[in-house]
Amino acid sequence: MVLGRKWVLKQHFKGNPKPEDFDLVEEALAPLKENEIQFHSLFLSVDPYMRPYTTRMTPPFTMIGSSVAEVEESKHPSYPKGSTIIILAGWIERGIVNPDKMGMASPGNTLGGVMKAADMGTLSKSLLLGACGMPGNTAYFGLLEICKPKAGDTVVVSGAAGAVGSLVGQIAKIKGCKVIGYAGTDEKCQWLKSIGFDEAFNYKKVGVKESLAKAAPAGVDCYFDNVGGEMSAAVMSLMNTRGRVAVCGAISHYNEVGGYSKVTDVLPLCVGKELMVEGFLVGRWKARWMEGVTAMAGWVMKGEIKVRETVVEGFDKMPFAFMGLFTGDNTGKMVVRA
């Protein structure tokens, strides 16, 4: 008998995620049916988007997420035994899925799927969940397609030491921009400068508006926003006319209880400065997915993009890795090695 383990979300989060929100479930796996595969996760991803996305679902359910996995057994012609896959099956250590039917019961029929993993050469397969995966494509397409940075532009990144923000800044440097990042510790700011950011500020110690006015006296052309809240209002107040804003996330709001808090209204800034503000989900570029993966992998292999991961050991630590996203425990991408 083959046993599998998975993490189940028992109840909706109230405030910050807590250990008691989850159950670790062990179950016997049935024999494979036609077109099914049995997989074993090698690395699993935890991401901030999981927090707001789960509010659209009804507990209990397998906690959502993606992993890099090995196909252990297969009755599907496209995914032979021994192949490496990227699978959006949730927090599952070992399980069985039919790739042709995944996602059918999820909101928008979009949550779930399997794709063959790109050949990473000497790079760690964990990067398929980070710089060469969804966060990498979020940075790549979000910056280049929405912010459209030009050489000489000043680009500001909030949540700059995270999985997406740290990549955005480096792509902007490749494109010839001045890059200013905001993060939550001095150590993270030092790391950002070491990977090429021109300026990096600890927002817990300095005022965003004051520090940015000194660092960008000519104003801000592009803002890649991972945080939202008052930080966004402060940055947008210093943007140049026709500045471009890519709204990727709003992590400052995700754990609020009783609805999102009121913040400074940025609409007058959008009008007065003629700002172009666009929210996005990376799935928009699904048809160009491998373009982003290939570009990011190329920059990583050439050393033009430096990657840092926070790797948590053990499948049983999944909830704690996830909780750490909201307390600043990670620098770069947070992954769990199963």
Side-chain angles (χ1 to χ4, degrees):
M1 178 187 298
V2 179
L3 297 177
R5 295 195 299 170
K6 64 182 182 181
W7 281 101
V8 170
L9 186 66
K10 297 190 297 184
Q11 58 201 12
H12 284 305
F13 302 114
K14 294 181 181 179
N16 286 334
K18 303 173 183 63
E20 54 266 31
D21 294 328
F22 303 94
D23 260 340
L24 181 57
V25 176
E26 186 175 71
E27 57 188 2
L29 301 182
L32 288 185
K33 300 175 184 177
E34 184 179 2
N35 288 330
E36 288 186 336
I37 61 173
Q38 178 183 306
F39 67 93
H40 176 253
S41 294
L42 306 175
F43 294 94
L44 298 99
S45 181
V46 290
D47 301 281
Y49 83 84
M50 298 171 179
R51 172 64 174 83
Y53 197 103
T54 56
T55 62
R56 304 162 61 186
M57 305 170 71
T58 302
F61 54 83
T62 302
M63 184 59 185
I64 63 174
S66 57
S67 65
V68 179
E70 180 182 353
V71 177
E72 293 184 318
E73 301 291 342
S74 177
K75 288 192 175 182
H76 195 293
S78 298
Y79 304 100
K81 181 178 179 177
S83 58
T84 302
I85 57 174
I86 311 299
I87 181 167
L88 190 59
W91 291 7
I92 298 177
E93 183 180 38
R94 175 177 280 109
I96 292 174
V97 298
N98 182 333
D100 301 330
K101 296 182 179 180
M102 291 184 71
M104 296 303 180
S106 67
N109 295 334
T110 58
L111 189 66
V114 180
M115 70 172 67
K116 295 178 181 178
D119 183 0
M120 297 297 289
T122 58
L123 299 178
S124 171
K125 291 179 180 179
S126 61
L127 296 187
L128 290 164
L129 300 175
C132 303
M134 183 272 288
N137 275 355
T138 300
Y140 179 84
F141 290 111
L143 179 68
L144 299 183
E145 296 293 324
I146 296 177
C147 286
K148 300 183 185 299
K150 303 182 296 292
D153 279 352
T154 295
V155 176
V156 173
V157 186
S158 62
V164 174
S166 59
L167 301 175
V168 169
Q170 294 182 82
I171 297 171
K173 289 301 297 181
I174 290 171
K175 298 300 179 180
C177 301
K178 178 179 180 178
V179 180
I180 302 167
Y182 285 87
T185 70
D186 291 343
E187 188 276 333
K188 289 180 179 180
C189 290
Q190 292 169 2
W191 175 64
L192 290 174
K193 287 186 176 182
S194 77
I195 63 173
F197 279 63
D198 296 285
E199 299 286 352
F201 297 105
N202 182 346
Y203 68 86
K204 295 178 181 178
K205 290 187 173 181
V206 302
V208 174
K209 205 167 185 177
E210 295 74 18
S211 58
L212 189 54
K214 293 179 181 179
V220 175
D221 302 295
C222 303
Y223 177 38
F224 196 101
D225 188 7
N226 293 300
V227 173
E230 290 298 335
M231 181 178 292
S232 296
V235 174
M236 291 169 71
S237 73
L238 296 173
M239 293 192 73
N240 293 323
T241 300
R242 301 289 288 169
R244 289 89 68 197
V245 182
V247 183
C248 175
I251 195 171
S252 66
H253 292 295
Y254 291 165
N255 291 314
E256 291 178 342
V257 178
Y260 294 154
S261 62
K262 293 181 179 180
V263 297
T264 301
D265 187 355
V266 298
L267 289 182
L269 296 171
C270 295
V271 175
K273 292 175 175 287
E274 299 183 89
L275 300 180
M276 293 173 282
V277 182
E278 185 174 345
F280 72 96
L281 299 174
V282 71
R284 183 194 308 185
W285 294 282
K286 184 177 180 180
R288 296 171 58 189
W289 198 260
M290 289 311 299
E291 172 194 330
V293 172
T294 300
M296 294 299 294
W299 283 329
V300 171
M301 286 189 282
K302 288 189 289 186
E304 294 183 74
I305 284 183
K306 299 175 178 62
V307 177
R308 185 165 169 181
E309 295 178 299
T310 300
V311 181
V312 176
E313 298 288 345
F315 182 72
D316 57 322
K317 298 295 195 301
M318 288 292 301
F320 301 97
F322 180 61
M323 290 184 285
L325 294 173
F326 303 100
T327 52
D329 291 358
N330 63 301
T331 300
K333 180 74 181 85
M334 179 90 85
V335 296
V336 174
R337 194 197 317 265

